[in-house]
Amino acid sequence: AYVRALLTSKIVVVTQKDDWEDHYRLFESLSCGALILHDSMLAPPKELVNGRSIIFFNSLNELQERALYYLKHDQERLAVARRGWEMAMRRHRSWHRIEELVFGRPLNHVTDIHNLTLSQL
């Protein structure tokens, strides 16, 4: 039910505890293809850019405003969600974490994600 909800959501809100960032739910949500609304991060992953591949918010009012805006602006929502998904597929897969542990950095960077088959994802 959880995965189905992620895969069918237009927007996913991800928040974090104070002074703790970079949790699995962020990448899990990005990989499902929804627009991610996330509370501000001190050090987001390199390719996560506010307004381009993710939307950050600083308050509950801002969260509500941004959610309502992107629900009314499908093309913008889909474009940001797509760039977030592409970033997650290129650089933040489980094997990238294993490569970082073993070799100190990810070795594989998928460049042509548009021609991947489901079995490769």
Side-chain angles (χ1 to χ4, degrees):
Y2 172 70
V3 172
R4 188 172 307 122
L6 281 177
L7 289 171
T8 58
S9 296
K10 292 180 179 182
I11 295 175
V12 173
V13 177
V14 180
T15 61
Q16 59 202 2
K17 295 178 182 180
D18 290 340
D19 300 324
W20 191 75
E21 296 185 348
D22 197 26
H23 46 84
Y24 193 77
R25 298 243 185 225
L26 171 59
F27 295 104
E28 189 175 70
S29 300
L30 284 165
S31 69
C32 290
L35 172 70
I36 306 305
L37 295 179
H38 197 295
D39 54 345
S40 292
M41 297 175 79
L42 294 173
K46 183 179 178 181
E47 292 184 37
L48 271 185
V49 178
N50 188 31
R52 177 152 177 75
S53 52
I54 193 169
I55 304 299
F56 290 122
F57 62 89
N58 294 305
S59 68
L60 290 177
N61 285 338
E62 204 172 90
L63 168 61
Q64 182 179 18
E65 289 170 6
R66 292 186 176 179
L68 292 172
Y69 175 86
Y70 284 103
L71 286 172
K72 291 178 184 174
H73 296 87
D74 288 338
Q75 294 304 315
E76 289 179 60
R77 175 179 45 79
L78 292 170
V80 173
R82 178 70 179 194
R83 288 188 293 268
W85 177 84
E86 289 173 349
M87 186 275 305
M89 293 298 103
R90 268 195 318 272
R91 296 173 116 357
H92 294 282
R93 309 279 288 281
S94 58
W95 66 74
H96 293 123
R97 300 296 75 79
I98 293 169
E99 290 171 348
E100 283 180 338
L101 289 170
V102 174
F103 302 108
R105 65 182 176 86
L107 302 177
N108 293 299
H109 299 288
V110 179
T111 55
D112 189 11
I113 59 173
H114 300 289
N115 292 319
L116 291 177
T117 64
L118 281 177
S119 64
Q120 292 171 302
L121 297 173

